Amino acid sequence: MEAIKDTLESVMRAWEKKLLKPGTGDNPELLLKKFLTKKELGHIKFRYFKKGIITFDVDSSSWLYYFNLKKENLLAGLQRECAAV
């Protein structure tokens, strides 16, 4: 008999593979890399994607201000590529 922990882990891995397939445009973390420059990516840390909301941390208030200015264009681009956003 399989332990419930092992069953849950395998189910979660299967869902993750199904919902967030790398390279198919369904992974918001990979999409951020597509829409942001290397310099911009150096100032953020992806936290999570849940219920259509992408959350990432920035390393300073000036970068927070910068990303707030860029938010509308970034969001529009992400929504074009991934309907779940």
Side-chain angles (χ1 to χ4, degrees), residues 18 48 50 53 67 73 77 81:
K18 185 176 181 181
Y48 63 87
K50 186 187 268 186
I53 298 172
F67 284 112
N73 291 333
E81 297 289 326

Side-chain angles (χ1 to χ4, degrees), residues 7-81:
T7 303
L8 286 175
E9 283 180 13
S10 64
V11 168
M12 294 302 285
R13 266 189 254 114
W15 280 353
E16 185 176 276
K17 286 179 184 177
K18 185 176 181 181
L19 295 175
L20 299 175
K21 296 176 187 171
T24 63
D26 293 338
N27 189 330
E29 185 175 7
L30 293 177
L31 285 175
L32 280 175
K33 292 179 181 178
K34 179 179 178 181
F35 288 103
L36 299 176
T37 66
K38 192 172 185 177
K39 182 178 180 180
E40 292 168 338
L41 287 169
H43 294 281
I44 68 166
K45 181 179 179 186
F46 181 81
R47 298 306 268 172
Y48 63 87
F49 175 69
K50 186 187 268 186
K51 297 182 182 178
I53 298 172
I54 297 174
T55 303
F56 58 87
D57 293 333
V58 293
D59 60 4
S60 70
S61 60
S62 59
W63 279 101
L64 176 62
Y65 179 74
Y66 173 83
F67 284 112
N68 276 327
L69 293 175
K70 193 173 177 155
K71 180 171 54 174
E72 295 298 322
N73 291 333
L74 180 60
L75 183 59
L78 289 171
Q79 287 174 335
R80 273 193 313 271
E81 297 289 326

